[in-house]
Amino acid sequence: MDKLPDNFVFSQSNLQNFMDCALRFKLRYLERMPWPAPFTLEAQGFEAERKAGDTIHRLIRGYFEGLDPLSLLNNALLHGELTEVWLRQVMDAFPLSESDTYRAELRIDQTLGGVPATAIYDLVGQESGKVLIIDWKSSSRRPNFRRIRESAQKRLFPLVMAAHLQEWQTEYSNLEMTFWELNFPESSFRFIYNQDLYAADLAWFMELTAQIKNLSPEGFQATDDLRKCRYCQYQSYCRRGPAEAPEAKEDRDEAIDAMIQAGEIEIGDLRVEPL
Ligand code: SF4
């Protein structure tokens, strides 16, 4: 495929991949190249972290879908004490009441300026007149606020939600998003959305997606930042293995977080529901 189809749906994951490396975007979404490299997160020993993240997301979803909390806690314990601590933390922070509405793993498809976009939210809640977006993070590394601020997810998630709410004639002045750090809850990143952020994020989205759609196949260049290559699935294709990519501890943490973020849930077959 030489060109993205007009109906290509932009997500935080594919946008983040483009922001990290245009060539990676091309290999993955235009050429649909299978991931050939041995240096995946799994091979680097991060499989346990990924699995723990999957498990806690599943258990939290069960909680918000009304499954028995005690059974879920017992189930969590089977996966280790930490999983149980995380789940208890969420249950304590979100005691369910009749008046609150929560939806776990909610997908919203929304056209932004004529361009299709989608977001899959870990949790969306309506609580005391506010709309809350929560994204659970189970990384063992302390959050990097600069990276969060610059991430595609931080911009796209509230943007899609705000546009969706507008379409349903609902105010979004009470829209909040939290990157909830299960390992470091005191370091969770929370912000309130407003019209200035909406305008800036919409401009960012339109500019970035136009840039992607207008690039020629040769325009998708490999990144100059070798840290992005260190945990990339295509490093054997690009001949950019660990020997070429330098590794300082902070580089390593950032590279791992970037790969996890760029690989977060792709468009799946989750249900689509209006708020
Ligand atoms: S290995 Fe590096 S240059 Fe190649 S696709 Fe991955 S990030 Fe881009």
Side-chain angles (χ1 to χ4, degrees), residues 21 23-24 27 222-223 228-229 232 234-235 238 240:
C21 176
L23 177 60
R24 191 196 297 156
L27 294 172
T223 179
K228 305 282 193 240
C229 305
C232 177
Y234 294 111
Q235 59 180 227
C238 298
R240 288 188 175 187

Side-chain angles (χ1 to χ4, degrees), residues 20-32:
D20 287 346
C21 176
L23 177 60
R24 191 196 297 156
F25 181 95
K26 177 183 157 186
L27 294 172
R28 187 162 173 184
Y29 304 104
L30 271 171
E31 300 191 353
R32 297 180 182 279

Side-chain angles (χ1 to χ4, degrees), residues 16-270:
Q16 189 66 51
N17 273 303
F18 181 80
M19 288 158 66
D20 287 346
C21 176
L23 177 60
R24 191 196 297 156
F25 181 95
K26 177 183 157 186
L27 294 172
R28 187 162 173 184
Y29 304 104
L30 271 171
E31 300 191 353
R32 297 180 182 279
M33 184 178 281
W35 300 4
F39 295 107
T40 60
L41 289 175
E42 285 80 352
Q44 295 284 353
F46 300 105
E47 176 64 359
E49 191 170 314
R50 192 189 64 73
K51 273 196 181 145
D54 286 351
T55 302
I56 190 63
H57 276 75
R58 188 168 42 76
L59 290 166
I60 292 173
R61 176 178 177 164
Y63 172 63
F64 285 104
E65 289 187 341
L67 299 185
D68 175 47
L70 200 55
S71 304
L72 287 168
L73 285 168
N74 286 336
N75 191 296
L77 253 187
L78 296 175
H79 296 277
E81 272 180 39
L82 188 57
T83 309
E84 198 249 11
V85 168
W86 287 345
L87 184 59
R88 207 175 273 283
Q89 180 191 130
V90 172
M91 289 176 172
D92 288 348
F94 296 90
L96 299 182
S97 77
E98 292 288 322
S99 57
D100 301 333
T101 312
Y102 295 100
R103 299 264 175 75
E105 290 181 17
L106 176 72
R107 170 177 164 176
I108 292 181
D109 294 319
Q110 181 69 41
T111 302
L112 299 168
V115 180
T118 195
I120 300 173
Y121 301 93
D122 284 348
L123 186 71
V124 174
Q126 287 176 301
E127 192 182 280
S128 317
K130 284 194 252 176
V131 175
L132 308 176
I133 299 171
I134 311 282
D135 196 75
W136 313 113
K137 300 291 184 198
S138 55
S139 171
S140 57
R141 293 164 295 284
R142 280 207 170 266
N144 177 332
F145 293 133
R146 177 188 59 74
R147 178 147 191 97
I148 292 174
R149 275 198 199 90
E150 292 171 357
S151 69
Q153 187 179 28
K154 192 263 174 192
R155 304 192 102 168
L156 188 68
F157 272 34
L159 175 63
V160 165
M161 180 60 74
H164 177 77
L165 292 173
Q166 271 183 327
E167 211 165 270
W168 288 73
Q169 271 94 42
T170 308
E171 255 308 315
Y172 66 85
S173 54
N174 278 331
L175 173 59
E176 283 181 24
M177 177 164 183
T178 304
F179 290 80
W180 191 290
E181 298 287 339
L182 292 161
N183 272 319
F184 312 98
E186 73 289 352
S187 298
S188 293
F189 181 92
R190 172 178 159 271
F191 62 97
I192 297 171
Y193 213 50
N194 60 34
Q195 293 197 347
D196 289 344
L197 286 172
Y198 180 86
D201 289 345
L202 185 59
W204 162 83
F205 177 81
M206 297 311 297
E207 199 176 311
L208 187 62
T209 55
Q211 185 191 349
I212 296 172
K213 289 198 286 184
N214 291 329
L215 270 185
S216 66
E218 302 72 44
F220 289 88
Q221 297 286 321
T223 179
D224 292 330
D225 183 353
L226 293 179
R227 291 172 307 171
K228 305 282 193 240
C229 305
R230 187 158 188 96
Y231 298 95
C232 177
Q233 297 88 336
Y234 294 111
Q235 59 180 227
S236 58
Y237 171 88
C238 298
R239 298 173 196 263
R240 288 188 175 187
E244 289 76 24
E247 185 172 53
K249 179 168 183 325
E250 55 278 18
D251 289 347
R252 176 177 179 272
D253 289 351
E254 189 156 322
I256 294 167
D257 286 341
M259 284 310 299
I260 289 173
Q261 196 166 54
E264 276 189 354
I265 304 177
E266 281 287 354
I267 301 163
D269 58 351
L270 297 171

